[in-house]
Amino acid sequence: MAAGAGEHERADPSIGDSRPAALVLNGVSKYFNEVCALESVDLQISQGEFVTLLGPSGCGKTTLLRIVAGLDRLDTGVVEISGHTSTSTPPEQRPVNYVFQHYALFPHLDVADNIRFGLKVARTPREEAAERVGTAISMVQLEGLEARRVDQLSGGQQQRVALARAIVNRPDILLLDEPLGALDLKLRKEMQLELRALHRRLGGTFIYVTHDQEEALVMSNRVVIMRSGRIVQDGTPQAIYRNPRNRFVAEFIGETNLLAAQATETAIIVRNLDLRIPNESNATGDVSLSIRPEHLRLDDGAGTTEGGRLSVGGELLDSIFLGSLYRHLVRLGDGTILTVQELATDDRDHAIGSRVVVSWSPSDTAILPG
Amino acid sequence: MPPNLRALSLLNRSQRRSYLPPVATYPSIGWLLAGLLIPVSVFFLFSFWETGVFTLIRTWSLDQYREVVTDDLYYGLILRTLLLGLTVSAVVLPVAYLGAYVLRFIISRGRRIILFLIVASALASYLVRIYAWKAILTPAGILNSALDSLGLISEPLTLLGRPGVTIALTHILVPIAMLPIAGAMESVNPDLIRASRDLGAGPVETFLRVTLPLTARGVLTAFVLTFVLAVGDYVTPQLVGGKGSLMIGRVIFDQFGITGNYALASALSFSLIVAAAAFIVGVLLCVRVLTGGARRFGAAVTTTRSRRLRVVWPAWVRRLPWGHTYLLLLLLFLWVPLILVLILSFNQLPIASLPITGWTLDWYREIFTDQTIRGGFGTSLKVAGLVVAIGLAIGLPTAFAVTRRRFVTKPALMGAVVLPIALPGVVVGFSILAMFRFLEWIPSMRSIVLGQVTLVLPFVVLIVMAALQNFNRNVEEAARDLGCTYWGALRRVTLRILLPIIAGTALIVFAISMDEFVVTNFIVGTDPTLPPVIWSIMNRRGIPPTVNAVASILMVVPLIAAVVYMTLTRRTQRRPDAGMDRALGEEEVEKGLPFA
């Protein structure tokens, strides 16, 4: 099927292609013992992009990042950084810097010395180093903490030190390995916005690894979804959300309702629900229909649905008030449970247990293989 | 990927199977060969030769073994020695286990200082501790004279012999046995015990089903250490054994100095090793069977609990500071004999008795003018310096290689590395001597350094390995990422972070070297280190009171070094990933966990 590895194409060709490439991966594979961590990965990232590698744990996203940094060796393939082949360049000679998941700050150095470390190793002149460290410290808002020991800092502050320690070297590519994973939710949201702002200010290339799909949508202008060592889909958050390539992506990015269906040459039929829509794709055989909760609408069954909308009847199981939204759970005749999300503008109260009709537009229906 | 390409990449993958140990381990391997494996092999060869007086006749025979097996003096001694080892272990392990348990789970205040005091007592010289017990237990010694002056006894109690040996060995081995047990306990999360209680297991069942199985490895390590050290000891039976407590170690030792029957000494040594190994395996098997039984017993406790009347202690009994009381008794047992020696060193009367009637510094003055003692001290310092330098130089690369590299021969290498502490000291010492005799070399400071580096190598490798296993390698990778070369990252970051542990290892190695007697005594030449010098003084008829003064110095100096080290490294001794722990919320140890 179309979801196979290596066959992905850029969903939105308008991004980045005019700019020179910051990173090119060609057929990169990596094995740990006999286990395949990456299988023939191709990826091209242009200068100035903020790309998120997204996938469940164990999908190879961190391995990919470590290979770019030179921390892991690859078994096959080519890595090109800023136009130079870097496949076997040691990490210290690559123009990239890495922000580790648990920060990996040097416990024997204070905040300023941690940040200064890379400049010191590169023998940057003292005045220049001092100035750059000062700028980095103010950029991550750590003023006044320069002389602190790193184990006297909070998690959020340590995270900022790790970030400053990397950006002070002005890397061509900044690699961030789930840098917000250890922070609490509130701090995390704050840092997400700060990282976005930082990217705009520095204008460099950021590659960000996360397993949190929401974070991926918030942070980046391009998301690369990985699974089992392969790239599954690559595109803007919007494109991926609207046109997921397969069930995995549809379920991983955002929430969705899936209906099992059969595709014939002319129509797609959901047999259990007695639904039939014209088949405009070239899919055949078993398929899934994916409809996002916010594209579904709930009627109490009395009103008429406008022409062209699809509708199915069911029983309202529960209605959850989420402040700005309502979330309704509807059980269909065949037992499938649909999630419907509606803006809570008017308090139309559906009685739990009542019969309702769920409707949606055919254009909001994604047809996925399998 | 095409199948052929994939096969190629499998061949090229970075973790290929490597058979040879990494080059970094070669110095250690070489040293172990020279200092242990070859000597022990040569010594083993001796047991198949015939013997004349202080010479070996190189004809093959099994006579020596025949003698060991048929002469009830020899096999009786081996058996008796093994039983002594078992008795000592049976006393040491519960004492140490309870100490470690209380320290980990019962008390919350003063843990660091108490642990320090327990371990520090082990730093006080080995010979001094045995000597202290001799001073306490002899018929005219401290205990008897004190009891006598209180009018409690009319004639002196006979305390030397088997009880004396057991007490003295317990004193020496409790701190050593506590280290692996406390280490195992440290990794038991107190929440597991709470969870077990919450899930309905009583204190006894929780102990049998959770705590004990989780700490079993530590206990077994402690058992092997205790047993081997007790069995291989030839000094304690000599000093506090008195009549009727001859042990095999002593007999082997006598073949070295008195009879000169190397072939018999060798046959006895290897019979002892085989017997001890068989004994340890037997005990471990029994433990295995019994622990299964213990768990079943635990289950039986649960099923009967509801029917049984539970003993509920009154609140005031439970509130008594049982934990602190126990640890106080333990500390008194460990420290009172040492403090007595210190007090006696200022005693005006040249006999070991209480109460003290007058004070003097004469004994200290005397030792500073004694040429033998000063010479011994000088040699000890030189040897210890060399042993620290060489031990770290060859041990550190080995620890790194073993922790970070994969190779098929790793278990064999680790076996060889821990062999010096797994073999009875009397065998190691005799083996090195045997090799020197075989090659017709004369023992000198070189032989002492050869032997002692071999002995400290396990400590260097094991301590540094433990530190490296907890070391967060991301920190090293961060240094690489920030521009350091492999060696630069090692120097600027890894070694810098491990510095307190390396310094601590150096200190331990230094203390071991200054204090080592059991092996060193075999291989000293004309220039002995301090412990053999003191040993020869102790063996004179009527121990001169200057020994108290030397002993006090030997005891106090490593303690001062330890205190200095503790204060110096207080700030930096946090674990490398302490910051992360803080971020994740530190585990707190609560007071009053239930095992009472």
Side-chain angles (χ1 to χ4, degrees), chain A residues 30-31 33-34 66 75-76 92 97-98 106 108 121 151 169, chain B residues 1 9 13-14 477 480-484 492 496 574 582:
Chain A
K30 170 77 184 169
Y31 295 87
N33 292 326
E34 259 76 88
R66 288 175 60 87
D75 290 311
T76 61
E92 64 267 24
N97 283 114
Y98 200 101
F106 303 124
H108 58 299
V121 173
D151 57 9
N169 306 296
Chain B
M1 183 160 47
S9 77
R13 63 180 205 273
S14 38
E477 289 174 341
R480 293 295 305 275
D481 181 60
L482 294 166
C484 284
R492 274 178 192 264
R496 181 59 195 74
R574 306 210 181 110
R582 180 174 296 229

PDB file of all heavy atoms in Angstrom, chain A residues 30-31 33-34 66 75-76 92 97-98 106 108 121 151 169, chain B residues 1 9 13-14 477 480-484 492 496 574 582:
ATOM      1  N   LYS A  30      20.277   1.709  10.810  1.00  0.00           N
ATOM      2  CA  LYS A  30      21.017   1.473  12.040  1.00  0.00           C
ATOM      3  C   LYS A  30      20.470   0.224  12.711  1.00  0.00           C
ATOM      4  O   LYS A  30      19.257   0.055  12.836  1.00  0.00           O
ATOM      5  CB  LYS A  30      20.836   2.682  12.973  1.00  0.00           C
ATOM      6  CG  LYS A  30      21.359   2.476  14.367  1.00  0.00           C
ATOM      7  CD  LYS A  30      22.851   2.589  14.402  1.00  0.00           C
ATOM      8  CE  LYS A  30      23.391   2.284  15.792  1.00  0.00           C
ATOM      9  NZ  LYS A  30      24.836   2.137  15.768  1.00  0.00           N
ATOM     10  N   TYR A  31      21.376  -0.656  13.074  1.00  0.00           N
ATOM     11  CA  TYR A  31      20.971  -1.891  13.761  1.00  0.00           C
ATOM     12  C   TYR A  31      21.604  -1.943  15.128  1.00  0.00           C
ATOM     13  O   TYR A  31      22.784  -1.634  15.288  1.00  0.00           O
ATOM     14  CB  TYR A  31      21.412  -3.124  12.968  1.00  0.00           C
ATOM     15  CG  TYR A  31      20.727  -3.226  11.633  1.00  0.00           C
ATOM     16  CD1 TYR A  31      21.250  -2.579  10.523  1.00  0.00           C
ATOM     17  CD2 TYR A  31      19.556  -3.956  11.503  1.00  0.00           C
ATOM     18  CE1 TYR A  31      20.624  -2.656   9.306  1.00  0.00           C
ATOM     19  CE2 TYR A  31      18.917  -4.041  10.296  1.00  0.00           C
ATOM     20  CZ  TYR A  31      19.453  -3.387   9.183  1.00  0.00           C
ATOM     21  OH  TYR A  31      18.805  -3.471   7.990  1.00  0.00           O
ATOM     22  N   ASN A  33      22.480  -4.752  17.578  1.00  0.00           N
ATOM     23  CA  ASN A  33      22.533  -6.194  17.438  1.00  0.00           C
ATOM     24  C   ASN A  33      21.724  -6.564  16.197  1.00  0.00           C
ATOM     25  O   ASN A  33      21.971  -6.036  15.139  1.00  0.00           O
ATOM     26  CB  ASN A  33      22.028  -6.907  18.688  1.00  0.00           C
ATOM     27  CG  ASN A  33      22.987  -6.692  19.835  1.00  0.00           C
ATOM     28  OD1 ASN A  33      24.193  -6.613  19.618  1.00  0.00           O
ATOM     29  ND2 ASN A  33      22.464  -6.583  21.029  1.00  0.00           N
ATOM     30  N   GLU A  34      20.719  -7.418  16.335  1.00  0.00           N
ATOM     31  CA  GLU A  34      19.990  -7.771  15.124  1.00  0.00           C
ATOM     32  C   GLU A  34      18.736  -6.919  14.960  1.00  0.00           C
ATOM     33  O   GLU A  34      17.997  -7.051  14.001  1.00  0.00           O
ATOM     34  CB  GLU A  34      19.612  -9.258  15.146  1.00  0.00           C
ATOM     35  CG  GLU A  34      20.523 -10.108  14.293  1.00  0.00           C
ATOM     36  CD  GLU A  34      21.878 -10.370  14.933  1.00  0.00           C
ATOM     37  OE1 GLU A  34      21.961 -11.356  15.668  1.00  0.00           O
ATOM     38  OE2 GLU A  34      22.839  -9.620  14.722  1.00  0.00           O
ATOM     39  N   ARG A  66      20.637  11.175  17.213  1.00  0.00           N
ATOM     40  CA  ARG A  66      21.999  10.872  17.679  1.00  0.00           C
ATOM     41  C   ARG A  66      22.931  10.621  16.499  1.00  0.00           C
ATOM     42  O   ARG A  66      24.124  10.919  16.567  1.00  0.00           O
ATOM     43  CB  ARG A  66      21.975   9.654  18.614  1.00  0.00           C
ATOM     44  CG  ARG A  66      21.360   9.981  19.975  1.00  0.00           C
ATOM     45  CD  ARG A  66      21.238   8.727  20.837  1.00  0.00           C
ATOM     46  NE  ARG A  66      22.535   8.116  21.082  1.00  0.00           N
ATOM     47  CZ  ARG A  66      23.346   8.464  22.080  1.00  0.00           C
ATOM     48  NH1 ARG A  66      22.983   9.385  22.924  1.00  0.00           N
ATOM     49  NH2 ARG A  66      24.500   7.863  22.231  1.00  0.00           N
ATOM     50  N   ASP A  75      24.907   2.264  10.159  1.00  0.00           N
ATOM     51  CA  ASP A  75      25.395   1.053   9.504  1.00  0.00           C
ATOM     52  C   ASP A  75      25.427   1.203   7.993  1.00  0.00           C
ATOM     53  O   ASP A  75      26.337   0.708   7.342  1.00  0.00           O
ATOM     54  CB  ASP A  75      24.537  -0.136   9.922  1.00  0.00           C
ATOM     55  CG  ASP A  75      24.781  -0.482  11.385  1.00  0.00           C
ATOM     56  OD1 ASP A  75      25.951  -0.589  11.765  1.00  0.00           O
ATOM     57  OD2 ASP A  75      23.818  -0.619  12.134  1.00  0.00           O
ATOM     58  N   THR A  76      24.414   1.865   7.421  1.00  0.00           N
ATOM     59  CA  THR A  76      24.485   2.190   5.997  1.00  0.00           C
ATOM     60  C   THR A  76      23.946   3.596   5.818  1.00  0.00           C
ATOM     61  O   THR A  76      23.278   4.134   6.703  1.00  0.00           O
ATOM     62  CB  THR A  76      23.611   1.250   5.137  1.00  0.00           C
ATOM     63  OG1 THR A  76      22.255   1.407   5.561  1.00  0.00           O
ATOM     64  CG2 THR A  76      24.040  -0.184   5.246  1.00  0.00           C
ATOM     65  N   GLU A  92      32.563  15.992  17.709  1.00  0.00           N
ATOM     66  CA  GLU A  92      33.124  17.295  18.052  1.00  0.00           C
ATOM     67  C   GLU A  92      33.385  18.162  16.829  1.00  0.00           C
ATOM     68  O   GLU A  92      33.563  19.356  16.934  1.00  0.00           O
ATOM     69  CB  GLU A  92      34.406  17.131  18.882  1.00  0.00           C
ATOM     70  CG  GLU A  92      35.566  16.437  18.181  1.00  0.00           C
ATOM     71  CD  GLU A  92      35.584  14.938  18.443  1.00  0.00           C
ATOM     72  OE1 GLU A  92      34.501  14.388  18.751  1.00  0.00           O
ATOM     73  OE2 GLU A  92      36.658  14.328  18.321  1.00  0.00           O
ATOM     74  N   ASN A  97      24.581  21.069  17.611  1.00  0.00           N
ATOM     75  CA  ASN A  97      24.609  20.904  19.057  1.00  0.00           C
ATOM     76  C   ASN A  97      23.326  20.250  19.532  1.00  0.00           C
ATOM     77  O   ASN A  97      22.268  20.386  18.938  1.00  0.00           O
ATOM     78  CB  ASN A  97      24.853  22.226  19.766  1.00  0.00           C
ATOM     79  CG  ASN A  97      26.318  22.637  19.687  1.00  0.00           C
ATOM     80  OD1 ASN A  97      26.656  23.624  19.056  1.00  0.00           O
ATOM     81  ND2 ASN A  97      27.189  21.829  20.277  1.00  0.00           N
ATOM     82  N   TYR A  98      23.473  19.522  20.641  1.00  0.00           N
ATOM     83  CA  TYR A  98      22.458  18.583  21.092  1.00  0.00           C
ATOM     84  C   TYR A  98      21.953  19.024  22.455  1.00  0.00           C
ATOM     85  O   TYR A  98      22.743  19.322  23.344  1.00  0.00           O
ATOM     86  CB  TYR A  98      23.132  17.208  21.203  1.00  0.00           C
ATOM     87  CG  TYR A  98      22.218  16.010  21.191  1.00  0.00           C
ATOM     88  CD1 TYR A  98      22.065  15.268  20.032  1.00  0.00           C
ATOM     89  CD2 TYR A  98      21.561  15.610  22.338  1.00  0.00           C
ATOM     90  CE1 TYR A  98      21.248  14.149  20.009  1.00  0.00           C
ATOM     91  CE2 TYR A  98      20.741  14.492  22.316  1.00  0.00           C
ATOM     92  CZ  TYR A  98      20.593  13.770  21.148  1.00  0.00           C
ATOM     93  OH  TYR A  98      19.785  12.654  21.121  1.00  0.00           O
ATOM     94  N   PHE A 106      26.995  19.541  33.181  1.00  0.00           N
ATOM     95  CA  PHE A 106      28.210  19.112  33.879  1.00  0.00           C
ATOM     96  C   PHE A 106      28.071  19.455  35.359  1.00  0.00           C
ATOM     97  O   PHE A 106      28.025  20.635  35.721  1.00  0.00           O
ATOM     98  CB  PHE A 106      29.434  19.799  33.280  1.00  0.00           C
ATOM     99  CG  PHE A 106      29.580  19.536  31.810  1.00  0.00           C
ATOM    100  CD1 PHE A 106      29.657  20.571  30.904  1.00  0.00           C
ATOM    101  CD2 PHE A 106      29.631  18.232  31.320  1.00  0.00           C
ATOM    102  CE1 PHE A 106      29.781  20.329  29.540  1.00  0.00           C
ATOM    103  CE2 PHE A 106      29.752  17.977  29.969  1.00  0.00           C
ATOM    104  CZ  PHE A 106      29.821  19.030  29.078  1.00  0.00           C
ATOM    105  N   HIS A 108      30.079  19.370  37.737  1.00  0.00           N
ATOM    106  CA  HIS A 108      31.213  19.967  38.426  1.00  0.00           C
ATOM    107  C   HIS A 108      31.416  21.420  38.036  1.00  0.00           C
ATOM    108  O   HIS A 108      32.352  22.062  38.501  1.00  0.00           O
ATOM    109  CB  HIS A 108      32.478  19.162  38.155  1.00  0.00           C
ATOM    110  CG  HIS A 108      32.819  19.057  36.696  1.00  0.00           C
ATOM    111  ND1 HIS A 108      31.983  18.456  35.783  1.00  0.00           N
ATOM    112  CD2 HIS A 108      33.891  19.479  36.001  1.00  0.00           C
ATOM    113  CE1 HIS A 108      32.543  18.506  34.587  1.00  0.00           C
ATOM    114  NE2 HIS A 108      33.697  19.123  34.686  1.00  0.00           N
ATOM    115  N   VAL A 121      36.417  25.055  24.798  1.00  0.00           N
ATOM    116  CA  VAL A 121      37.066  23.981  24.055  1.00  0.00           C
ATOM    117  C   VAL A 121      37.528  24.502  22.692  1.00  0.00           C
ATOM    118  O   VAL A 121      38.590  24.138  22.200  1.00  0.00           O
ATOM    119  CB  VAL A 121      36.101  22.783  23.884  1.00  0.00           C
ATOM    120  CG1 VAL A 121      36.702  21.744  22.966  1.00  0.00           C
ATOM    121  CG2 VAL A 121      35.785  22.178  25.233  1.00  0.00           C
ATOM    122  N   ASP A 151      23.107  21.639  40.239  1.00  0.00           N
ATOM    123  CA  ASP A 151      22.143  20.831  40.991  1.00  0.00           C
ATOM    124  C   ASP A 151      21.351  21.675  41.980  1.00  0.00           C
ATOM    125  O   ASP A 151      20.535  21.154  42.726  1.00  0.00           O
ATOM    126  CB  ASP A 151      22.827  19.636  41.677  1.00  0.00           C
ATOM    127  CG  ASP A 151      23.948  20.064  42.595  1.00  0.00           C
ATOM    128  OD1 ASP A 151      24.082  21.273  42.819  1.00  0.00           O
ATOM    129  OD2 ASP A 151      24.686  19.189  43.081  1.00  0.00           O
ATOM    130  N   ASN A 169      27.034  28.199  20.921  1.00  0.00           N
ATOM    131  CA  ASN A 169      28.022  27.813  19.905  1.00  0.00           C
ATOM    132  C   ASN A 169      27.567  28.121  18.482  1.00  0.00           C
ATOM    133  O   ASN A 169      28.282  27.827  17.536  1.00  0.00           O
ATOM    134  CB  ASN A 169      28.302  26.308  20.007  1.00  0.00           C
ATOM    135  CG  ASN A 169      28.705  25.909  21.399  1.00  0.00           C
ATOM    136  OD1 ASN A 169      29.743  26.335  21.888  1.00  0.00           O
ATOM    137  ND2 ASN A 169      27.871  25.126  22.071  1.00  0.00           N
TER     138      ASN A 169
ATOM    139  N   MET B   1      14.925  -2.228   1.643  1.00  0.00           N
ATOM    140  CA  MET B   1      16.344  -2.467   1.318  1.00  0.00           C
ATOM    141  C   MET B   1      16.499  -3.843   0.679  1.00  0.00           C
ATOM    142  O   MET B   1      15.914  -4.797   1.157  1.00  0.00           O
ATOM    143  CB  MET B   1      17.155  -2.384   2.612  1.00  0.00           C
ATOM    144  CG  MET B   1      18.621  -2.554   2.378  1.00  0.00           C
ATOM    145  SD  MET B   1      19.616  -1.909   3.716  1.00  0.00           S
ATOM    146  CE  MET B   1      18.847  -2.546   5.132  1.00  0.00           C
ATOM    147  N   SER B   9      24.958  -4.896   5.659  1.00  0.00           N
ATOM    148  CA  SER B   9      24.905  -3.971   6.785  1.00  0.00           C
ATOM    149  C   SER B   9      24.931  -4.733   8.104  1.00  0.00           C
ATOM    150  O   SER B   9      25.452  -4.255   9.094  1.00  0.00           O
ATOM    151  CB  SER B   9      23.651  -3.110   6.702  1.00  0.00           C
ATOM    152  OG  SER B   9      22.549  -3.866   7.113  1.00  0.00           O
ATOM    153  N   ARG B  13      27.702  -3.958  11.089  1.00  0.00           N
ATOM    154  CA  ARG B  13      27.126  -3.208  12.202  1.00  0.00           C
ATOM    155  C   ARG B  13      28.153  -2.998  13.314  1.00  0.00           C
ATOM    156  O   ARG B  13      29.102  -3.758  13.463  1.00  0.00           O
ATOM    157  CB  ARG B  13      25.884  -3.894  12.722  1.00  0.00           C
ATOM    158  CG  ARG B  13      26.151  -5.234  13.274  1.00  0.00           C
ATOM    159  CD  ARG B  13      24.873  -5.844  13.768  1.00  0.00           C
ATOM    160  NE  ARG B  13      25.231  -6.790  14.778  1.00  0.00           N
ATOM    161  CZ  ARG B  13      25.541  -8.051  14.482  1.00  0.00           C
ATOM    162  NH1 ARG B  13      25.493  -8.480  13.260  1.00  0.00           N
ATOM    163  NH2 ARG B  13      25.887  -8.872  15.447  1.00  0.00           N
ATOM    164  N   SER B  14      27.921  -1.897  14.047  1.00  0.00           N
ATOM    165  CA  SER B  14      28.991  -1.415  14.924  1.00  0.00           C
ATOM    166  C   SER B  14      29.301  -2.358  16.081  1.00  0.00           C
ATOM    167  O   SER B  14      30.405  -2.391  16.576  1.00  0.00           O
ATOM    168  CB  SER B  14      28.625  -0.029  15.445  1.00  0.00           C
ATOM    169  OG  SER B  14      27.247   0.034  15.713  1.00  0.00           O
ATOM    170  N   GLU B 477      28.802  12.546  26.314  1.00  0.00           N
ATOM    171  CA  GLU B 477      28.387  12.820  24.939  1.00  0.00           C
ATOM    172  C   GLU B 477      28.182  14.313  24.727  1.00  0.00           C
ATOM    173  O   GLU B 477      28.509  14.850  23.663  1.00  0.00           O
ATOM    174  CB  GLU B 477      27.105  12.049  24.620  1.00  0.00           C
ATOM    175  CG  GLU B 477      27.356  10.573  24.492  1.00  0.00           C
ATOM    176  CD  GLU B 477      26.069   9.777  24.325  1.00  0.00           C
ATOM    177  OE1 GLU B 477      24.991  10.294  24.666  1.00  0.00           O
ATOM    178  OE2 GLU B 477      26.158   8.649  23.853  1.00  0.00           O
ATOM    179  N   ARG B 480      31.442  15.777  24.019  1.00  0.00           N
ATOM    180  CA  ARG B 480      31.843  15.517  22.628  1.00  0.00           C
ATOM    181  C   ARG B 480      31.111  16.471  21.692  1.00  0.00           C
ATOM    182  O   ARG B 480      31.698  17.094  20.814  1.00  0.00           O
ATOM    183  CB  ARG B 480      31.484  14.082  22.215  1.00  0.00           C
ATOM    184  CG  ARG B 480      32.242  12.977  22.902  1.00  0.00           C
ATOM    185  CD  ARG B 480      33.701  12.932  22.606  1.00  0.00           C
ATOM    186  NE  ARG B 480      34.093  12.854  21.208  1.00  0.00           N
ATOM    187  CZ  ARG B 480      34.189  11.741  20.496  1.00  0.00           C
ATOM    188  NH1 ARG B 480      33.893  10.591  21.036  1.00  0.00           N
ATOM    189  NH2 ARG B 480      34.596  11.763  19.249  1.00  0.00           N
ATOM    190  N   ASP B 481      29.807  16.576  21.922  1.00  0.00           N
ATOM    191  CA  ASP B 481      28.969  17.422  21.072  1.00  0.00           C
ATOM    192  C   ASP B 481      29.432  18.875  21.120  1.00  0.00           C
ATOM    193  O   ASP B 481      29.318  19.604  20.147  1.00  0.00           O
ATOM    194  CB  ASP B 481      27.518  17.309  21.545  1.00  0.00           C
ATOM    195  CG  ASP B 481      26.566  18.136  20.712  1.00  0.00           C
ATOM    196  OD1 ASP B 481      26.500  17.868  19.495  1.00  0.00           O
ATOM    197  OD2 ASP B 481      25.928  19.039  21.252  1.00  0.00           O
ATOM    198  N   LEU B 482      29.967  19.288  22.276  1.00  0.00           N
ATOM    199  CA  LEU B 482      30.403  20.675  22.427  1.00  0.00           C
ATOM    200  C   LEU B 482      31.853  20.866  21.999  1.00  0.00           C
ATOM    201  O   LEU B 482      32.458  21.884  22.290  1.00  0.00           O
ATOM    202  CB  LEU B 482      30.208  21.135  23.870  1.00  0.00           C
ATOM    203  CG  LEU B 482      28.743  21.213  24.298  1.00  0.00           C
ATOM    204  CD1 LEU B 482      28.613  21.347  25.794  1.00  0.00           C
ATOM    205  CD2 LEU B 482      28.048  22.373  23.598  1.00  0.00           C
ATOM    206  N   GLY B 483      32.423  19.865  21.353  1.00  0.00           N
ATOM    207  CA  GLY B 483      33.724  20.081  20.728  1.00  0.00           C
ATOM    208  C   GLY B 483      34.903  19.342  21.311  1.00  0.00           C
ATOM    209  O   GLY B 483      36.021  19.506  20.848  1.00  0.00           O
ATOM    210  N   CYS B 484      34.687  18.512  22.355  1.00  0.00           N
ATOM    211  CA  CYS B 484      35.817  17.794  22.936  1.00  0.00           C
ATOM    212  C   CYS B 484      36.104  16.534  22.121  1.00  0.00           C
ATOM    213  O   CYS B 484      35.185  15.871  21.646  1.00  0.00           O
ATOM    214  CB  CYS B 484      35.513  17.362  24.363  1.00  0.00           C
ATOM    215  SG  CYS B 484      35.615  18.687  25.552  1.00  0.00           S
ATOM    216  N   ARG B 492      38.256  16.306  30.684  1.00  0.00           N
ATOM    217  CA  ARG B 492      37.564  17.491  31.170  1.00  0.00           C
ATOM    218  C   ARG B 492      36.310  17.147  31.947  1.00  0.00           C
ATOM    219  O   ARG B 492      35.884  17.919  32.799  1.00  0.00           O
ATOM    220  CB  ARG B 492      37.139  18.359  29.987  1.00  0.00           C
ATOM    221  CG  ARG B 492      38.176  19.311  29.501  1.00  0.00           C
ATOM    222  CD  ARG B 492      37.601  20.053  28.307  1.00  0.00           C
ATOM    223  NE  ARG B 492      38.600  20.797  27.601  1.00  0.00           N
ATOM    224  CZ  ARG B 492      38.816  22.094  27.816  1.00  0.00           C
ATOM    225  NH1 ARG B 492      38.125  22.731  28.710  1.00  0.00           N
ATOM    226  NH2 ARG B 492      39.750  22.719  27.130  1.00  0.00           N
ATOM    227  N   ARG B 496      36.985  14.182  35.695  1.00  0.00           N
ATOM    228  CA  ARG B 496      36.768  15.291  36.622  1.00  0.00           C
ATOM    229  C   ARG B 496      35.586  14.984  37.549  1.00  0.00           C
ATOM    230  O   ARG B 496      35.640  15.243  38.748  1.00  0.00           O
ATOM    231  CB  ARG B 496      36.538  16.560  35.799  1.00  0.00           C
ATOM    232  CG  ARG B 496      36.326  17.819  36.585  1.00  0.00           C
ATOM    233  CD  ARG B 496      37.519  18.114  37.479  1.00  0.00           C
ATOM    234  NE  ARG B 496      37.153  19.123  38.474  1.00  0.00           N
ATOM    235  CZ  ARG B 496      36.372  18.886  39.520  1.00  0.00           C
ATOM    236  NH1 ARG B 496      35.884  17.672  39.721  1.00  0.00           N
ATOM    237  NH2 ARG B 496      36.068  19.856  40.356  1.00  0.00           N
ATOM    238  N   ARG B 574      28.308  14.486  45.504  1.00  0.00           N
ATOM    239  CA  ARG B 574      26.982  14.113  45.014  1.00  0.00           C
ATOM    240  C   ARG B 574      27.111  13.322  43.737  1.00  0.00           C
ATOM    241  O   ARG B 574      28.083  13.449  43.002  1.00  0.00           O
ATOM    242  CB  ARG B 574      26.179  15.369  44.743  1.00  0.00           C
ATOM    243  CG  ARG B 574      26.150  16.237  45.976  1.00  0.00           C
ATOM    244  CD  ARG B 574      24.881  17.011  46.024  1.00  0.00           C
ATOM    245  NE  ARG B 574      24.900  17.845  47.219  1.00  0.00           N
ATOM    246  CZ  ARG B 574      25.007  19.149  47.157  1.00  0.00           C
ATOM    247  NH1 ARG B 574      25.077  19.743  46.003  1.00  0.00           N
ATOM    248  NH2 ARG B 574      25.036  19.857  48.248  1.00  0.00           N
ATOM    249  N   ARG B 582      16.733  15.613  41.459  1.00  0.00           N
ATOM    250  CA  ARG B 582      15.984  16.695  42.056  1.00  0.00           C
ATOM    251  C   ARG B 582      14.804  17.048  41.177  1.00  0.00           C
ATOM    252  O   ARG B 582      13.690  17.276  41.647  1.00  0.00           O
ATOM    253  CB  ARG B 582      16.896  17.897  42.228  1.00  0.00           C
ATOM    254  CG  ARG B 582      16.185  19.069  42.837  1.00  0.00           C
ATOM    255  CD  ARG B 582      17.176  20.151  43.101  1.00  0.00           C
ATOM    256  NE  ARG B 582      18.140  19.696  44.085  1.00  0.00           N
ATOM    257  CZ  ARG B 582      18.474  20.419  45.142  1.00  0.00           C
ATOM    258  NH1 ARG B 582      17.958  21.577  45.333  1.00  0.00           N
ATOM    259  NH2 ARG B 582      19.375  19.959  45.985  1.00  0.00           N
TER     260      ARG B 582
END
